[in-house]
Amino acid sequence: LLRGGVFVAFTSSIIGKRTLREQVEVCEPLLEDRLAFTDKALKSLDAPPSGFGFVEVMAFLVPLYTRLYPSYVSPFGRRREDLLEGLPIDYTANEGNLTMDTGKFRRDRTVVHKGMSYVCEEHLKMSKGDVRLYFTYSKKEKKIVICHIGRHLDTAGTKKRGH
């Protein structure tokens, strides 16, 4: 799927769709063996940050699918941060205690997917900019559950952002 020019050719053929959400929804069936998009994640694509489009979303999804997913199903000793070496994205394993102990911030990172509640502290961030992809791994589904793609969610250490 993600090898050679086939995936690149496919993805470039859908960039012309109307919204970022629609573009990701077209790709979703190709990624569903490893990634699960929650309704909340898809909704977060309805109002993407300025300059954040399909290419940037794929810059998150491809390494999540190819580099990080294998570390959940067959851990082999490397730190997840190291698996993204050389890419313009960074991995964070969790949020600070103050953020997660605050009800609103915890709710922002909580989703219900297929009847299960997930708290998504892990996230990828673009090295430049204020965008994140929040996720968690579901042992039950054996998939990475994506909770939010877009603007950095508020934390205890940030000023209130308008969403």
Side-chain angles (χ1 to χ4, degrees), residues 60 68 84 90-95 109 120-125 131-136 148 152 155:
F60 278 143
L68 291 181
L84 300 174
D90 299 312
Y91 168 83
T92 301
N94 52 16
E95 297 283 13
R109 289 158 179 79
C120 300
E121 291 186 68
E122 290 180 87
H123 57 277
L124 300 177
K125 67 176 185 170
V131 293
R132 306 286 190 272
L133 183 148
Y134 291 84
F135 66 95
T136 193
H148 174 85
H152 183 294
T155 67

Side-chain angles (χ1 to χ4, degrees), residues 9-22:
F10 172 78
T11 56
S12 64
S13 72
I14 64 166
I15 288 179
K17 288 199 86 43
R18 287 190 356 219
T19 69
L20 182 56
R21 180 179 181 159
E22 289 171 340

